[in-house]
Amino acid sequence: QVQLVESGGGFVQAGDSLRLSCAASGRTFSFYVSGWFRQAPGKDREFVAATTWRSGHTVYADSVKGRFIISKDDAKDTMYLQMSSLKPEDTAVYYCAADERPYNRNEDAERRYDYWGQGTQVTVSS
């Protein structure tokens, strides 16, 4: 049974930084790709960033490029999302996701991921 648990959310001011963590348990050795998504109030969930576990290839949404960094610590089975220069429009519930299927496409699509965390709230005040 795979479980993903996010942490690190909070209330910050515009321009601040925050690091989200996603601790994985279960069959983590078989993960091929992991990602972060977010959902703002009244909006659909959207892609933020993704990384493949073997190659370390990363992809980002245009809205966060240059401000967010996705990373992982294989030894700790933990994924991270370092967020800098936060803006009020970054306010959302952030979800981590992971999948075992070994192919390199659709990393920005929800259907790509079988496993999801419960989400952590990030609120950015102007």
Side-chain angles (χ1 to χ4, degrees), residues 52-120:
T52 53
W53 281 56
R54 295 178 186 177
S55 69
H57 172 70
T58 57
V59 59
Y60 296 92
D62 288 343
S63 59
V64 305
K65 277 181 184 176
R67 300 189 299 122
F68 291 11
I69 299 174
I70 186 172
S71 63
K72 56 182 178 63
D73 185 329
D74 294 346
K76 296 181 179 179
D77 288 334
T78 301
M79 301 171 280
Y80 302 98
L81 185 68
Q82 178 68 48
M83 305 184 293
S84 303
S85 301
L86 282 162
K87 305 174 182 180
E89 50 264 44
D90 294 319
T91 295
V93 177
Y94 284 72
Y95 299 89
C96 66
D99 197 87
E100 300 165 328
R101 290 167 289 179
Y103 62 86
N104 294 320
R105 61 182 183 273
N106 300 329
E107 294 93 341
D108 60 347
E110 290 188 52
R111 67 181 184 276
R112 178 67 178 88
Y113 302 90
D114 275 345
Y115 307 113
W116 291 83
Q118 82 289 349
T120 185

Side-chain angles (χ1 to χ4, degrees), residues 1-83:
Q1 181 74 17
V2 173
Q3 284 192 317
L4 303 177
V5 179
E6 302 97 335
S7 61
F11 184 98
V12 295
Q13 301 290 324
D16 284 352
S17 298
L18 203 60
R19 188 177 80 161
L20 305 182
S21 299
C22 175
S25 61
R27 299 190 311 275
T28 58
F29 62 89
S30 61
F31 284 172
Y32 188 83
V33 64
S34 61
W36 288 91
F37 289 73
R38 66 187 182 186
Q39 186 168 21
K43 295 187 177 181
D44 293 334
R45 189 155 56 183
E46 65 175 7
F47 169 75
V48 175
T51 184
T52 53
W53 281 56
R54 295 178 186 177
S55 69
H57 172 70
T58 57
V59 59
Y60 296 92
D62 288 343
S63 59
V64 305
K65 277 181 184 176
R67 300 189 299 122
F68 291 11
I69 299 174
I70 186 172
S71 63
K72 56 182 178 63
D73 185 329
D74 294 346
K76 296 181 179 179
D77 288 334
T78 301
M79 301 171 280
Y80 302 98
L81 185 68
Q82 178 68 48
M83 305 184 293

